[in-house]
Amino acid sequence: NDQTNVRILSDSHRKLFQRGGIDAFIMSVPKSLGLLNYLRIWHDNSGQGDSASWFLKYVIVRDLQTMDKFYFISQRWFAVEKDDGKIERTIPVAGGSEQKEFSY
């Protein structure tokens, strides 16, 4: 019944979104997230050469107030020159069977 504001993922102390990398972020919200339905994620395509393209395997959101975990499985390119050419996607929360099928 609600949406969070857009969050920009950055860290001035390390390089993010590197090939094969795993990045973690803590973001504060005034109250528990509740049950999540989807995740909207995108990038600005500002990288140079191969760095402009992303392959996103999955995102895990953990509500630190309730310790609930929500899995968003992508397994897609976010690239203008690959896959379907999209750099923005809305990913639904993965159900139990989808989580079992996905190896992470």
Side-chain angles (χ1 to χ4, degrees):
N1 294 331
D2 204 357
Q3 293 186 17
T4 59
N5 294 327
V6 171
R7 303 297 180 107
I8 297 174
L9 305 176
S10 64
D11 187 333
S12 61
H13 296 82
R14 63 188 170 108
K15 284 189 170 191
L16 300 174
F17 311 115
Q18 299 295 306
R19 183 179 306 241
I22 297 174
D23 297 301
F25 303 92
I26 296 177
M27 293 178 247
S28 63
V29 291
K31 59 182 181 177
S32 173
L33 296 173
L35 297 176
L36 302 184
N37 297 312
Y38 65 88
L39 171 78
R40 188 169 150 231
I41 189 166
W42 67 91
H43 67 85
D44 63 6
N45 206 43
S46 64
Q48 299 296 316
D50 289 344
S51 296
S53 303
W54 285 8
F55 184 84
L56 177 64
K57 289 180 85 172
Y58 61 90
V59 174
I60 299 172
V61 175
R62 179 183 298 156
D63 186 331
L64 295 177
Q65 295 177 39
T66 64
M67 297 311 288
D68 290 333
K69 279 187 185 178
F70 301 91
Y71 298 85
F72 301 90
I73 300 168
S74 172
Q75 289 291 93
R76 300 287 301 266
W77 279 99
F78 286 61
V80 295
E81 77 286 355
K82 296 180 183 184
D83 200 355
D84 60 3
K86 293 183 180 180
I87 58 172
E88 177 179 349
R89 298 188 188 282
T90 299
I91 306 168
V93 67
S97 62
E98 292 171 300
Q99 292 176 38
K100 289 177 185 172
E101 291 175 15
F102 180 71
S103 173
Y104 63 89

